[in-house]
Amino acid sequence: MNKLITQKQFDETHVVSVVEGNILDEQTEAIINAANENLTHGGGVAKQIADAAGPSMYEECKKIKRVATGSAVMTAAGDLKFKAVIHAVGPIFGHYDPEDADDLLCSAIQAALKLAEEAEYTSLSIPAVSAGLFGFPVARCTSVIVDAISDHLFWYPETCLTDIRLVAMGSQCVVEFKRALEAVKFTDDE
């Protein structure tokens, strides 16, 4: 069972939470998958999601073929209980200048948020995209993801995404998501 670590109210209707546990145990409408450009799901969270989703999601991903770094695509969730899986392609750290890597990760998260919003989902769970196999430093990754969410909520105050959950299994990711969320200044913060 996933454990709520902390949450922060953005405004009267939007909340961002940090959750320790398995993204597959979430109760949200959709989840983000930390994907690679070829949507092959070879390891980490991506493999865990793909294995649980079964062959139908894999076949849908094969038809898409390629997704550029910094973008996202949505597929059906296959055998998973979610309405959809949003595949966000973050950068491999070290393949880009650090600032460019930050921008690409931010872009991937914002693209995923936009897809969830277009589908009119109210809840979404997000892992630490690029922090695992792609080697993005955890503290930097979590800060970029939280900033991307904050920017989305600021620029789209009417968004239907009222429940955004940052999900991590490792204690370092949990600690860094918590730190990043506590550091961000939402519109109603003093």
Side-chain angles (χ1 to χ4, degrees):
M1 179 178 233
N2 289 352
K3 178 182 175 186
L4 177 66
I5 302 300
T6 190
Q7 60 184 191
K8 193 166 190 177
Q9 198 76 32
F10 183 80
D11 56 25
E12 298 81 30
T13 57
H14 300 94
V15 66
V16 180
S17 306
V18 174
V19 177
E20 182 174 18
N22 188 327
I23 198 162
L24 295 176
D25 293 333
E26 285 290 281
Q27 300 300 315
T28 50
E29 291 177 280
I31 58 174
I32 290 181
N33 176 29
N36 60 39
E37 288 185 338
N38 298 316
L39 300 181
T40 53
H41 318 302
V45 172
K47 182 168 178 24
Q48 179 187 16
I49 291 170
D51 287 350
S56 65
M57 189 183 84
Y58 172 75
E59 290 301 320
E60 193 174 347
C61 287
K62 271 180 39 179
K63 290 177 185 172
I64 295 168
K65 294 183 182 168
R66 187 168 173 80
V67 180
T69 297
S71 60
V73 65
M74 185 163 43
T75 65
D79 296 335
L80 297 171
K81 62 187 171 188
F82 308 103
K83 292 181 179 178
V85 174
I86 301 171
H87 308 271
V89 182
I92 298 173
F93 201 77
H95 288 199
Y96 304 90
D97 290 333
E99 274 189 34
D100 291 340
D102 290 354
D103 290 345
L104 287 166
L105 179 56
C106 180
S107 176
I109 297 302
Q110 289 178 337
L113 292 168
K114 186 172 184 195
L115 286 171
E117 185 172 318
E118 288 171 356
E120 298 183 357
Y121 296 144
T122 60
S123 58
L124 178 67
S125 295
I126 306 172
V129 174
S130 285
L133 298 173
F134 283 12
F136 214 102
V138 173
R140 186 178 194 130
C141 168
T142 55
S143 290
V144 170
I145 291 172
V146 169
D147 286 346
I149 293 166
S150 176
D151 287 350
H152 184 83
L153 293 175
F154 178 78
W155 289 108
Y156 303 100
E158 301 301 319
T159 181
C160 54
L161 282 170
T162 57
D163 181 17
I164 299 173
R165 296 166 60 88
L166 303 165
V167 183
M169 289 180 96
S171 59
Q172 183 186 8
C173 268
V174 171
V175 167
E176 293 300 338
F177 265 138
K178 182 177 186 282
R179 180 201 53 76
L181 186 60
E182 289 171 349
V184 75
K185 299 294 182 208
F186 287 165
T187 55
D188 60 353
D189 287 349
E190 295 170 7

